[in-house]
């Protein structure tokens, strides 16, 4: 098990969200259906907004919180998650939603594990807040996809 600071873990998440935004933009360029392109564009913006939220977290939190060491650190690399995600150019909205939900579930599970293994109540609260943020974003993604299907 690797040791990292909370700052390192949040940096890992920010990096992953940036890579996911780039991934969704690359899929948008390849997608054939206009509604699918719209959803992928939304998802790319969504990842950028989460990355910005994580930056705000890091600016607002106390230095002590960010420098706290954490024994349970993610061993995954950004490339691993993105590499495992697949999508065909002729894919439909349902396939994009399945892909996006897999990403959201990854972060929800990661932050739950981190919260469960937190060494202080402040760190636990940080990761519980991130679970809530990811769950909200998951709901928004589904809602946006349903709206596109209704168009």
């Amino acid at each position: 098990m690797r040791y990292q600071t909370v700052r390192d873990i949040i940096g890992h998440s920010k990096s992953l969200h940036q890579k996911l935004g780039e991934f969704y933009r690359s899929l948008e360029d390849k997608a054939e259906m206009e509604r699918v392109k719209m959803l992928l564009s939304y998802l790319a913006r969504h990842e950028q907004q989460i990355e910005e939220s994580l930056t705000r977290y890091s600016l607002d939190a106390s230095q002590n919180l960010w420098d706290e060491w954490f024994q349970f650190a993610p061993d995954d690399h950004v490339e691993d998650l993105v590499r495992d995600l697949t999508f065909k150019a002729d894919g439909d909205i349902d396939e994009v939603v399945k892909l996006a939900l897999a990403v959201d579930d990854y972060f929800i599970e990661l932050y739950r594990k981190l919260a469960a293994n937190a060494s202080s109540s402040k760190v636990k609260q940080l990761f519980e807040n991130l679970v809530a943020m990811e769950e909200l974003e998951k709901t928004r993604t589904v809602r946006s996809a349903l709206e596109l299907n209704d168009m």
Side-chain angles (χ1 to χ4, degrees):
M1 197 170 278
R2 300 178 329 159
Y3 287 85
Q4 290 184 345
T5 63
V6 172
R7 178 189 328 278
D8 295 332
I9 294 168
I10 297 299
H12 169 80
S13 292
K14 284 173 48 176
S15 176
L16 185 48
H17 283 291
Q18 180 202 13
K19 293 281 188 189
L20 288 165
E22 292 169 4
F23 175 71
Y24 288 135
R25 280 188 281 287
S26 73
L27 294 181
E28 180 185 358
D29 293 340
K30 298 173 188 169
E32 296 173 358
M33 296 172 50
E34 192 58 37
R35 289 180 184 172
V36 171
K37 287 179 183 252
M38 290 170 63
L39 182 56
L40 289 165
S41 175
Y42 165 80
L43 290 171
R45 288 189 314 274
H46 157 86
E47 293 301 330
Q48 181 179 356
Q49 290 168 348
I50 293 175
E51 182 185 357
E52 291 167 1
S53 293
L54 290 171
T55 299
R56 283 192 299 278
Y57 266 109
S58 62
L59 296 174
D60 293 342
S62 73
Q63 190 68 24
N64 293 343
L65 175 75
W66 294 111
D67 291 337
E68 199 166 314
W69 285 94
F70 212 93
Q71 183 176 356
F72 176 82
D75 290 329
D76 325 10
H77 297 285
V78 171
E79 295 77 22
D80 293 343
L81 179 61
V82 174
R83 184 191 64 234
D84 293 340
L85 300 175
T86 57
F87 178 76
K88 298 179 215 138
D90 64 345
D92 61 13
I93 288 177
D94 291 339
E95 289 179 52
V96 175
V97 169
K98 183 178 177 183
L99 183 81
L101 294 181
V103 168
D104 290 336
D105 288 341
Y106 167 85
F107 281 106
I108 290 168
E109 182 63 23
L110 172 67
Y111 295 145
R112 279 191 179 137
K113 285 180 185 176
L114 290 165
N117 292 289
S119 58
S120 74
S121 60
K122 287 183 180 183
V123 171
K124 181 176 183 151
Q125 185 64 49
L126 168 70
F127 289 114
E128 286 174 347
N129 288 344
L130 291 175
V131 168
M133 179 186 76
E134 289 292 343
E135 287 175 338
L136 179 62
E137 292 303 324
K138 184 176 178 178
T139 302
R140 287 180 180 160
T141 298
V142 171
R143 189 176 316 131
S144 295
L146 291 172
E147 289 171 3
L148 282 172
N149 266 336
D150 290 342
M151 290 178 71

